[in-house]
Amino acid sequence: MIRHGLSASEFWNKLPWKQFRRNLFRLQKRLWKAIRANDLRKAKSLQKLILKSRAARLLAIRQVTQLNAGKKTPGIDSKASLTHQERLDLSVLLKSNVNTWTHQGLREIPIPKKDGSTRLLKVPTMYDRAWQCLVKYAIEPAHEATFQERSYGFRPGRAAHDAQKHLFDNLKSNVNGITKRVIELDIEKCFDRISHTAIMDRLIAPLGIKNGIFRCLKTGVSPEFPEQGTPQGGVVSPLLANIALNGIETIHSSVRYADDMVFFLKPKDDAQKILDQIRQFLAKRGMNVSERKTKITAATDGFDFLGWHFKVQKNGKFRSQPSVDNFQKFREKVKKIVNNSNYGARVKAKKLAPIVRGWRNYHQFCKLDGSRFRLWHINKRTWKVFNKESKLTRYHVNHLIDKAFPAIPYHENRFVMVKGDKSPFDGDILYWAKRNSALYDGRTSKLLKKQNHTCGYCSHLLIGEERVHLHHKDGNHHNCKDKNLMVVHESCHDLIHKSKSDCREPGATKVARPDLTERCGE
């Protein structure tokens, strides 16, 4: 790469990221349309172009090293970050070895589950993650053109709230939800049992990508099941799981979020017949239904899904609330911070704010009446601790409580679902820009409309998965007047401040892209 006398950091920051995003999106849009037109030859040719694209390479490296939530999680090589020079060297390495890439080992991290067991999170190295991200850019648009519209997990432009709204539409009073039952489907060790053959047979990609994906799967393989499993923790793993499970929604009326599924049963539907069809579908892909966790439940008895508890009341009205497990997990997080004696009230308030805001945002389309879900008791307990520990006046304690428990408006069952089978790769930029703007809270949404749904720094439309921040133009975070605020990409915010020391602005909370731990309550 030509630097013209610039240092590696200056060169990296001055790269035309806006133009790179535009170039990559143009290729992905053409790929999506080629698959819709059933032109596989053209589609595979476009996938090869994406792999060779300098824009795609650099964006993939930037994604895994700067933007992803797990960007600081080291792999087996213990590298938790890359210098600017290492990023540029990685781009050269990807260019020459993209079709012959060999994965290193995976770092295994045990994650406790709700039932007391553990699952292994297998984390690739930073270099392997960059390769996986680049390959994902090439195969995701192709499969987005074939995915069922009732699948919402780990897909661009879709989220858990779409699944929540779909449940409401199928169980509300005017569709006789009170008479329905549901199948709460649980797939036994889904990610660990997916057949490699099932993935490879359904993967739309040229031979070079297929060989690389196959080597990726074999790297995370279990000795007990050498022909099964996709490692949880990889960038491309959720997409591969979606590829294997795509089509299960057509068996019967249902909603799916990754491997979590709910099937809707009318009074005359034969539940056992549907379960037999599901078992046959999964058997072809190396998976089994968990007989212990799969249940047939009356809608009036209620069931848990994605951290929510859904129930049709005796009067026929549908209600969703945070599940007991989800609320208990959230309560434990708050309790751990409030009762910690290692730091004072101000630090506690700063640590509590993002946790409380994230929980409230995720559940903002629920029925949150009563003191429990309004967090009255938690708020009162926190006030007592703050008042006892600090030497501040009552006014300042109340101010800290307001900061720790930010108010979020609630809109029960008012989320607007994504239209049909629309995809961010379909070229309807205005629809996705407006939709992404609507996924933020009041102030950020208002500013996005004022900025015509574009980033205030790079002027690029906010249509991607990258989060947005509120930037204070004068550097004073206490001056929150609209004229002093500007909505920018997270990465643009980093560029403005030349470092990552600037915290994410509390006002710019995205409500429909929750963290997975917040979603599952795990």
Side-chain angles (χ1 to χ4, degrees):
M1 294 185 184
I2 302 174
R3 297 192 196 169
H4 302 294
L6 298 174
S7 67
S9 60
E10 290 173 330
F11 181 75
W12 180 266
N13 290 332
K14 288 181 179 294
L15 286 170
W17 298 112
K18 178 182 175 181
Q19 186 61 44
F20 287 167
R21 283 195 292 262
R22 186 181 290 118
N23 293 345
L24 176 59
F25 179 72
R26 184 171 63 249
L27 290 173
Q28 290 179 320
K29 182 174 68 173
R30 290 173 61 195
L31 173 56
W32 185 89
K33 290 182 177 180
I35 294 295
R36 279 299 177 98
N38 203 27
D39 190 346
L40 288 178
R41 184 177 178 180
K42 182 178 180 181
K44 291 181 179 181
S45 176
L46 288 166
Q47 287 177 320
K48 291 177 182 178
L49 281 178
I50 292 174
L51 285 187
K52 295 176 183 178
S53 168
R54 176 173 177 254
R57 275 198 317 276
L58 291 169
L59 285 171
I61 295 168
R62 181 168 172 258
Q63 184 69 40
V64 300
T65 59
Q66 289 183 272
L67 305 180
N68 282 352
K71 58 181 176 287
K72 293 184 180 179
T73 306
I76 198 172
D77 60 356
S78 301
K79 273 187 174 292
S81 62
L82 298 181
T83 65
H84 290 94
Q85 183 59 54
E86 286 174 328
R87 293 173 193 171
L88 296 174
D89 293 340
L90 175 55
S91 176
V92 176
L93 189 64
L94 282 173
K95 182 179 180 180
S96 58
N97 297 297
V98 66
N99 287 313
T100 58
W101 192 269
T102 302
H103 277 64
Q104 301 179 55
L106 303 176
R107 178 184 169 217
E108 296 185 351
I109 305 174
I111 305 294
K113 298 176 72 173
K114 289 187 292 185
D115 59 3
S117 62
T118 59
R119 64 181 174 90
L120 286 178
L121 185 68
K122 299 181 179 181
V123 182
T125 64
M126 200 77 74
Y127 282 41
D128 291 338
R129 274 179 263 172
W131 180 88
Q132 289 186 25
C133 189
L134 176 58
V135 168
K136 183 183 176 184
Y137 287 157
I139 63 177
E140 187 172 49
H143 287 280
E144 275 294 315
T146 65
F147 283 161
Q148 298 292 323
E149 63 183 66
R150 297 194 303 276
S151 166
Y152 299 108
F154 303 111
R155 293 183 59 190
R158 285 167 162 76
H161 289 103
D162 291 285
Q164 183 189 33
K165 180 65 174 177
H166 191 84
L167 278 160
F168 170 72
D169 290 343
N170 282 271
L171 295 175
K172 58 186 179 181
S173 57
N174 60 354
V175 292
N176 295 321
I178 196 170
T179 65
K180 293 183 178 180
R181 297 167 295 156
V182 298
I183 299 176
E184 301 175 63
L185 181 67
D186 185 87
I187 302 173
E188 187 176 0
K189 296 183 179 180
C190 175
F191 281 84
D192 295 331
R193 297 292 180 268
I194 298 176
S195 168
H196 294 169
T197 303
I199 294 174
M200 301 310 298
D201 288 347
R202 291 163 179 79
L203 186 63
I204 303 172
L207 187 60
I209 293 180
K210 282 194 171 186
N211 289 338
I213 290 291
F214 188 73
R215 288 192 294 269
C216 172
L217 292 172
K218 290 302 180 183
T219 301
V221 76
S222 169
E224 298 179 53
F225 302 94
E227 301 298 327
Q228 292 176 280
T230 175
Q232 295 185 60
V235 176
V236 77
S237 297
L239 175 59
L240 298 179
N242 273 335
I243 291 172
L245 289 171
N246 185 45
I248 195 172
E249 305 88 354
T250 60
I251 292 175
H252 193 74
S253 177
S254 62
V255 58
R256 179 168 74 87
Y257 191 99
D259 59 329
D260 294 327
M261 291 197 68
V262 170
F263 287 83
F264 307 106
L265 302 176
K266 294 180 180 179
K268 294 183 179 180
D269 289 333
D270 187 341
Q272 289 304 320
K273 182 180 178 180
I274 294 168
L275 278 171
D276 288 341
Q277 291 177 325
I278 294 170
R279 289 188 183 98
Q280 291 173 15
F281 179 95
L282 293 176
K284 294 177 181 177
R285 290 154 177 79
M287 294 175 281
N288 299 307
V289 173
S290 174
E291 303 295 343
R292 182 171 60 90
K293 296 182 180 179
T294 298
K295 296 179 287 185
I296 301 172
T297 310
T300 51
D301 291 336
F303 60 95
D304 290 349
F305 185 61
L306 301 181
W308 294 303
H309 181 74
F310 299 97
K311 186 176 182 179
V312 178
Q313 299 174 335
K314 292 182 179 179
N315 60 6
K317 290 186 177 180
F318 173 84
R319 288 287 180 263
S320 63
Q321 290 181 320
S323 68
V324 173
D325 289 339
N326 181 278
F327 181 79
Q328 196 64 32
K329 186 69 175 179
F330 163 73
R331 185 174 175 274
E332 288 299 322
K333 287 181 181 179
V334 173
K335 185 178 178 181
K336 187 176 180 180
I337 294 173
V338 172
N339 293 339
N340 194 318
S341 59
N342 293 330
Y343 36 78
R346 284 192 175 90
V347 177
K348 289 179 181 180
K350 187 176 180 180
K351 287 179 176 292
L352 282 173
I355 294 174
V356 175
R357 189 186 309 112
W359 187 86
R360 281 180 159 168
N361 273 329
Y362 185 66
H363 297 294
Q364 68 165 313
F365 299 105
C366 292
K367 179 75 171 176
L368 294 178
D369 52 355
S371 59
R372 179 181 177 85
F373 294 131
R374 292 286 180 179
L375 307 184
W376 188 87
H377 297 289
I378 294 176
N379 193 310
K380 184 179 179 181
R381 167 65 182 165
T382 305
W383 189 92
K384 286 182 178 180
V385 173
F386 282 14
N387 192 51
K388 182 179 178 180
E389 288 184 353
S390 64
K391 297 180 180 179
L392 302 173
T393 64
R394 179 164 294 191
Y395 169 80
H396 287 102
V397 171
N398 289 335
H399 175 71
L400 287 177
I401 290 295
D402 291 340
K403 183 178 179 181
F405 293 88
I408 303 292
Y410 299 109
H411 316 283
E412 186 184 1
N413 297 325
R414 292 186 183 179
F415 181 78
V416 179
M417 288 176 62
V418 63
K419 287 184 180 178
D421 61 350
K422 285 191 70 65
S423 168
F425 304 113
D426 62 10
D428 192 352
I429 296 177
L430 186 59
Y431 169 81
W432 289 104
K434 288 183 177 180
R435 177 172 173 79
N436 282 358
S437 299
L439 298 179
Y440 291 91
D441 62 16
R443 172 177 287 169
T444 310
S445 180
K446 177 183 175 182
L447 289 170
L448 281 169
K449 290 178 182 177
K450 185 178 178 181
Q451 294 175 198
N452 294 321
H453 314 286
T454 60
C455 173
Y457 180 75
C458 69
S459 302
H460 189 67
L461 280 168
L462 296 159
I463 59 173
E465 292 293 295
E466 187 176 348
R467 294 175 295 181
V468 305
H469 288 192
L470 283 181
H471 171 62
H472 295 75
K473 297 177 183 177
D474 64 358
N476 180 10
H477 282 204
H478 297 288
N479 181 5
C480 294
K481 295 181 180 180
D482 288 351
K483 63 181 181 181
N484 186 48
L485 296 174
M486 177 172 67
V487 183
V488 295
H489 287 106
E490 180 183 20
S491 53
C492 292
H493 203 194
D494 289 339
L495 288 176
I496 291 171
H497 290 280
K498 303 295 184 184
S499 71
K500 296 194 176 184
S501 60
D502 193 49
C503 298
R504 187 176 180 187
E505 170 59 29
T509 302
K510 196 169 185 178
V511 298
R513 295 289 182 270
D515 179 72
L516 290 180
T517 54
E518 193 64 45
R519 172 182 73 80
C520 301
E522 295 180 351

